[in-house]
Amino acid sequence: MILTVTPNPALDITYHLDHVRLGETNRVRSVAERAGGKGVNVARVLAQLGHAVTCSGFLGGPSGDDLVRLLDGSGVLQRWLPIEGQTRRTIAAVDSDGATLFNEPGPVLDQDAWAVLRDHVLSLTSPGDVVTVSGSTPRGTSPDDVGAFVSALRAHGLVTLVDTSGPHLLAAAKAGADVLKPNHHELRESTGAPDVLSGARRLLSSGAGAVVVSAGEDGVIAVTGTHAWQARPAEVLRGNPTGAGDAAVAALALACERVSGGIALEDALTAHLPDVVALSGAAVLAPEAGAVDLDAYRRMRAAITVEMIDAC
Amino acid sequence: MILTVTPNPALDITYHLDHVRLGETNRVRSVAERAGGKGVNVARVLAQLGHAVTCSGFLGGPSGDDLVRLLDGSGVLQRWLPIEGQTRRTIAAVDSDGATLFNEPGPVLDQDAWAVLRDHVLSLTSPGDVVTVSGSTPRGTSPDDVGAFVSALRAHGLVTLVDTSGPHLLAAAKAGADVLKPNHHELRESTGAPDVLSGARRLLSSGAGAVVVSAGEDGVIAVTGTHAWQARPAEVLRGNPTGAGDAAVAALALACERVSGGIALEDALTAHLPDVVALSGAAVLAPEAGAVDLDAYRRMRAAITVEMIDAC
């Protein structure tokens, strides 16, 4: 069983307009809403692939209710933790020149919110299940909260997969997350390391089990205590890169599920690296984040090569 | 009893930002939400003055739920008619240079929606009660819908007060609305008349009982079948003019209530004209639409003069 945690989900609202003018009244032509947040995207991709998946995280207010309604029928089982504040909205005002975005600050968590989420997630899972944690965190969250959360999941026998950035990424590494999935920018910023391999090794020496770095057109680099592999896409893709990292996490979650079936983490990761790259690419080709082009996924997967690039 | 109808209420959302940049991601510093729509403002002003008031209109979706929650505790009794679509949102992104507004198109009504609203409002009122109808209408509304609605209210013995524009204003006049309250721009646009008096008389000859025109710094001009009066403010006010017309409607609704007590409409209107002008001014001085500065209202009311400007 896979459960995706989105600490800071969002109601994503898109306005289509003829032309956005600053300082004026703009008549919106059409409105589209979707359930947003990186962990929500992970769950939607898994559901699209036909896998059972549960999502959780902090959710509140009328925009939270709206998110639940929008995700209804997607095949994702929703087990949100209700909070006092209101789930953030994002507004994208799109015209022929591009998109102007407004990101709300979102709720502020109570001091015990992360402990309550921990108990909530533990009540939904059993040892051997896979839990992913993706994206930003609400205000009121410290890196220690993220570290303690990951530690508690691991102590419960869960396989943990974390996609975050900055001090939260370092805290997840120290807490011994099984797999970390930063992109190469996030890895450089959080570790200060000059290249992907040395950055990944800093996270491994902190305590992470494996680090899988998404690097755009260079594909994906997986680093464990003993080896490093790179999987490259066979095609250069044009499309919407938002959500590509989340599709990679979905593929990694499926790899992690095999670990609970008795396969070694390193073997599971290397076996699934073509899926990780192909599913990321298939997300680029889909019009919106949280969806993949399944035909492209199957076509690309066969043409992806995995290469060992380093051994310790 | 006064009931205010807002056919097209709105959830008004204000974003405060340091500086709005087109084509970029803008981090919102703070979010404020309020229940919006002209009839909602009328009801809030009446509640602030200590009068019992009920509000109704079409409401739907999570933004409708949000509006109900925001209006809770304001003293306004809410009796909305639930619809399938989602109540529109307005976003005002405010920075030091001013405000950029995004107005959602809002719901589309079913064909029988206005008949259902008619039955709903009739079930809430008794002959002699005052019903105001304010502002724009949702998509799917024809001028005939507005006319038939006003006719039905009048046939039920209700005193009707309509603040709208364009063909809807003309339809309300033909339906014999007791009082119409356009502003001078709306009056000119809808009737094509060159001045306030001739515009008002076109509406009267169509069937309206009286026309009260708000004219900004020139105050208010009331025109009946026999006379015309003008009430002018004693001060030039600086502030937020949004909602000033709604405060005028609130004062006119109180005048209309006296009609049901046996006073002639013309007498009630002329007696209340200083209130209409003072309450409009007190709305300009309040920071947000739907509120008035009560001290300023009492102070200004005493200094307002009413002058007969024409007799037929």
Side-chain angles (χ1 to χ4, degrees), chain A residues 15 23 26 33 89 101 104, chain B residues 15 26 33 89 100-101 104:
Chain A
Y15 288 162
N26 297 279
E33 295 190 356
R89 287 169 292 209
L101 274 82
E104 293 188 3
Chain B
Y15 288 163
N26 296 280
E33 294 189 357
R89 288 168 292 210
T100 301
L101 275 83
E104 293 189 3

Side-chain angles (χ1 to χ4, degrees), chain B residues 6-194:
Chain B
T6 315
N8 205 13
L11 175 64
D12 290 335
I13 303 171
T14 303
Y15 288 163
H16 291 278
L17 303 97
D18 292 326
H19 192 67
V20 176
R21 289 176 211 279
L22 271 187
E24 296 190 15
T25 297
N26 296 280
R27 205 170 285 271
V28 174
R29 201 149 33 77
S30 70
V31 182
E33 294 189 357
R34 61 184 294 281
K38 291 174 70 66
V40 171
N41 293 340
V42 174
R44 292 159 74 112
V45 169
L46 286 166
Q48 201 190 339
L49 291 172
H51 290 274
V53 58
T54 303
C55 72
S56 190
F58 303 110
L59 201 79
S63 56
D65 296 343
D66 211 355
L67 186 152
V68 168
R69 188 179 54 78
L70 290 164
L71 201 53
D72 241 15
S74 65
V76 176
L77 188 64
Q78 301 187 65
R79 291 291 181 267
W80 299 102
L81 182 69
I83 55 167
E84 277 296 308
Q86 158 135 299
T87 292
R88 68 199 170 102
R89 288 168 292 210
T90 71
I91 310 272
V94 177
D95 66 11
S96 52
D97 291 336
T100 301
L101 275 83
F102 298 94
N103 286 347
E104 293 189 3
V108 181
L109 295 180
D110 292 339
Q111 208 173 352
D112 65 344
W114 277 93
V116 177
L117 182 65
R118 173 199 66 206
D119 294 345
H120 178 67
V121 169
L122 294 186
S123 76
L124 296 168
T125 51
S126 308
D129 287 345
V130 177
V131 176
T132 70
V133 182
S134 295
S136 68
T137 53
R139 291 178 289 170
T141 302
S142 74
D144 285 350
D145 290 326
V146 175
F149 184 70
V150 170
S151 293
L153 300 183
R154 293 199 64 236
H156 191 63
L158 299 166
V159 184
T160 54
L161 167 49
V162 182
D163 177 9
T164 185
S165 57
H168 292 359
L169 180 65
L170 301 179
K174 271 189 202 154
D178 295 281
V179 182
L180 296 176
K181 206 292 298 160
N183 66 40
H184 54 313
H185 301 300
E186 291 162 345
L187 180 68
R188 190 173 304 124
E189 274 176 35
S190 58
T191 64

Side-chain angles (χ1 to χ4, degrees), chain A residues 1-5 38-55 74-77 130-132 134 161 246-257 272 279 290-292 294 297:
Chain A
M1 185 266 218
I2 299 172
L3 183 144
T4 75
V5 174
K38 291 173 70 65
V40 171
N41 293 341
V42 174
R44 291 159 75 111
V45 169
L46 286 166
Q48 201 190 339
L49 291 171
H51 290 273
V53 58
T54 303
C55 73
S74 65
V76 177
L77 188 65
V130 176
V131 176
T132 70
S134 295
L161 168 48
D246 304 327
V249 171
L252 288 169
L254 294 174
C256 288
E257 246 194 343
H272 277 75
L279 210 54
V292 290
L294 284 180
Y297 167 55

Side-chain angles (χ1 to χ4, degrees), chain A residues 81-117:
Chain A
L81 182 67
I83 56 168
E84 277 296 308
Q86 157 134 301
T87 292
R88 68 200 170 102
R89 287 169 292 209
T90 71
I91 309 273
V94 177
D95 66 11
S96 52
D97 291 336
T100 301
L101 274 82
F102 298 94
N103 286 347
E104 293 188 3
V108 181
L109 295 180
D110 292 338
Q111 209 172 352
D112 66 343
W114 278 93
V116 177
L117 182 65

